[in-house]
Amino acid sequence: MEKSRPHIIIEGATEYSLGDFDGKHIAYDFSKVLVYLEAKGKLLFGRNFQIYDEDKEILLKLCNYMVRDFDNCKKFDIDPDKGILLSGPVGCGKTSLMRLIRHIVPHQRPYEIIPARNITFAFNHIGYKIIEEYGNGRFYCFDDLGVEPLGRHFGMDCNVMGEVLISRHELYQQTKIITHGTTNLNAEELEERYGKRVRSRMRQIFNLIGFDKSTRDKRT
C-alpha cells in the first residue's frame, strides 16, 4: 500500500485496486475486494484456496466491518467499535477468513491470531501471569474459543480463557481496544463453557457473525 494510493495493494508484481480514492476516503468495491482476497488467499494458503459463493455474505459483513463502512455496518447490525466473534462448524473456514481479511486494511494495526488451547497450555506451565499477558493492550483474535481444555497450575483448576475474556472486557471498557475470536460453539454452548458472567461480557465486546450450521467442511 502506498500512502498516496491507499486503495491500492501490491502483491509481488501485481497491483490490486480495492475501490476508488478521492484524496480523503476510499469507496471500497466489494467485487474488487473479493478479487484481491482470493489472490491473497492463494498466497497465504496455497493455490487450491478459493472463495465460495456460500461464504460471500459472511465476507461482505467482515469486509464492511474491517473498512469501517458505518452505513453497511448499521444495515447488518454490526457495531464497528466492538470485536468480531466468528462462529461456525468445524472446517467452514473461520480461521482462514480471520487471517485473510486483516490484509485489506494494511494501514490499520493488525491483530495476532492465537489458538485458545495454546494460552491454556502456557498457563499450565507459567500460571496467572499468562492471563495478565493476554489481558493487555495488544490486539488479539482468540482462535477456537470454548474447546480448549481446563487450565491447571500447581493443583489449581482455572477456566483460563474465561478469565482472559473478563480481562479483555475490562480493557475494552477502559480503552476501547477490541478483541476478536472464532468458535465452533453456539451462544448456549459458550455460556455452558464459560458461565453467564463471561457470556454477558462477551455480548458487550463481540459482534456475533455466524456461518450457517449446515456449512460444509472445506478441509475434506
Side-chain angles (χ1 to χ4, degrees), residues 9-220:
I9 295 180
I10 299 173
E11 296 287 350
T14 306
E15 287 191 358
Y16 296 92
S17 170
L18 304 187
D20 298 311
F21 181 56
D22 65 4
K24 292 184 178 180
H25 304 99
I26 302 173
Y28 287 90
D29 182 327
F30 186 56
S31 62
K32 292 180 178 180
V33 172
L34 284 179
V35 170
Y36 169 69
L37 287 176
E38 184 135 29
K40 184 65 175 179
K42 291 183 186 298
L43 292 172
L44 290 174
F45 310 120
R47 61 184 182 181
N48 292 328
F49 175 85
Q50 62 178 299
I51 292 174
Y52 296 88
D53 287 341
E54 65 204 68
D55 296 340
K56 287 182 180 177
E57 183 178 349
I58 292 283
L59 260 177
L60 178 60
K61 293 178 181 180
L62 292 174
C63 289
N64 280 312
Y65 170 84
M66 292 301 295
V67 304
R68 297 182 68 78
D69 184 323
F70 296 108
D71 290 337
N72 276 318
C73 281
K74 185 176 181 180
K75 174 183 172 183
F76 292 122
D77 195 26
I78 294 171
D79 184 343
D81 294 322
K82 292 183 180 182
I84 294 293
L85 180 61
L86 188 59
S87 68
V90 172
C92 69
K94 301 181 296 296
T95 306
S96 295
L97 290 190
M98 291 305 290
R99 287 182 61 191
L100 183 60
I101 60 166
R102 55 188 174 175
H103 292 282
I104 67 174
V105 284
H107 53 285
Q108 292 184 17
R109 183 178 174 183
Y111 49 83
E112 185 179 357
I113 298 177
I114 306 288
R117 65 195 301 269
N118 288 9
I119 298 174
T120 299
F121 293 153
F123 171 86
N124 293 346
H125 289 287
I126 299 172
Y128 287 89
K129 183 180 177 181
I130 287 296
I131 294 173
E132 295 177 15
E133 179 178 332
Y134 286 101
N136 68 16
R138 295 176 65 182
F139 287 73
Y140 292 114
C141 174
F142 298 126
D143 194 31
D144 275 341
L145 280 168
V147 296
E148 74 280 355
L150 194 67
R152 190 171 180 83
H153 184 68
F154 282 108
M156 298 292 291
D157 290 338
C158 179
N159 191 330
V160 177
M161 289 310 303
E163 294 298 325
V164 169
L165 290 169
I166 289 173
S167 295
R168 297 298 295 188
H169 175 263
E170 292 173 357
L171 179 71
Y172 174 75
Q173 287 188 313
Q174 295 166 4
T175 66
K176 296 302 179 184
I177 289 177
I178 59 176
T179 304
H180 302 304
T182 72
T183 184
N184 302 332
L185 306 184
N186 60 33
E188 292 74 22
E189 290 168 330
L190 284 168
E191 184 171 311
E192 183 178 343
R193 178 67 176 82
Y194 294 123
K196 289 185 178 181
R197 178 168 170 248
V198 174
R199 177 63 187 134
S200 174
R201 283 158 175 75
M202 292 176 76
R203 290 191 188 98
Q204 295 176 45
I205 65 172
F206 289 129
N207 294 285
L208 180 60
I209 297 179
F211 283 86
D212 189 276
K213 63 182 179 181
S214 64
T215 303
R216 60 194 172 94
D217 187 339
K218 298 179 180 70
R219 295 182 295 195
T220 58

